[in-house]
Amino acid sequence: MPAIATSRIAILATHGFEQSELEVPLNDLRAKGATVDIVSLEAGEIKGWDEKDWGAAVPVDRTLAEANVADYDALVLPGGQINPDVLRVEKAAIDFIRAFDGAGKPIAAICHAPWLLIEAGLLKGRRATSYSSIRTDMINAGAVWEDRAVVLDGMIATSRNPGDLDAFVATIVEMVEQGREKRQAAE
């Protein structure tokens, strides 16, 4: 059985996430058998942004205070302009991201979500991509920015935009498989 089918993945988001950047990974990963939790700052629902206006709400499975990195195999960070901008000033969110990195677990960020990786100090010297409007932010944070659909550097994957979602999800699956193999080899 593929590791993705028995994995548990956290999607960290809050109000203003780009609708497709949360829903496509959520639905595709669940379709592959993964257990996927929406983790957010507060219980209840969070509302997406769908291109030019507010989108649909999704239920929160766990608050950030309830979520434990040890329970997850990977972390997905959807973009949108609002979502990562709100999360990057929340110490608990940045600590959660750093803990995934510290545990050597996969982190996947799309569009504007690499702002969170910048805030967590995880991009210096790493190859990465993002939505074009934050390219300078990425370079100023020390990333080696590449204009590619998805860039994988170690256990951190970054992707440009919603047009790259199929490649983004495929990279998440690949990272979960590789991460499981590495952890099993270390045991």
Side-chain angles (χ1 to χ4, degrees), residues 12-32:
L12 177 61
T14 192
H15 297 288
F17 62 86
E18 183 64 40
Q19 200 80 44
S20 63
E21 294 173 9
L22 183 143
E23 288 182 346
V24 170
L26 173 69
N27 294 332
D28 287 2
L29 293 167
R30 282 182 176 167
K32 293 179 185 316

Side-chain angles (χ1 to χ4, degrees), residues 44-119:
E45 293 182 332
I46 53 175
K47 195 164 192 162
W49 186 263
D50 196 2
E51 296 183 19
K52 297 181 183 198
D53 203 353
W54 290 103
V58 296
V60 172
D61 297 300
R62 290 179 183 245
T63 65
L64 195 51
E66 297 168 332
N68 184 339
V69 173
D71 294 337
Y72 296 101
D73 296 297
L75 174 63
V76 176
L77 303 170
Q81 293 174 333
I82 300 167
N83 171 62
D85 199 36
V86 171
L87 288 173
R88 69 182 173 162
V89 298
E90 295 291 335
K91 182 181 182 316
I94 300 307
D95 288 347
F96 191 66
I97 294 165
R98 284 184 184 134
F100 271 88
D101 183 63
K105 293 183 177 186
I107 302 171
I110 187 167
C111 191
H112 287 76
W115 268 339
L116 294 164
L117 303 177
I118 290 170
E119 195 63 35

Side-chain angles (χ1 to χ4, degrees), residues 110 161-166:
I110 187 167
N161 60 52
D164 302 321
L165 279 165
D166 289 343

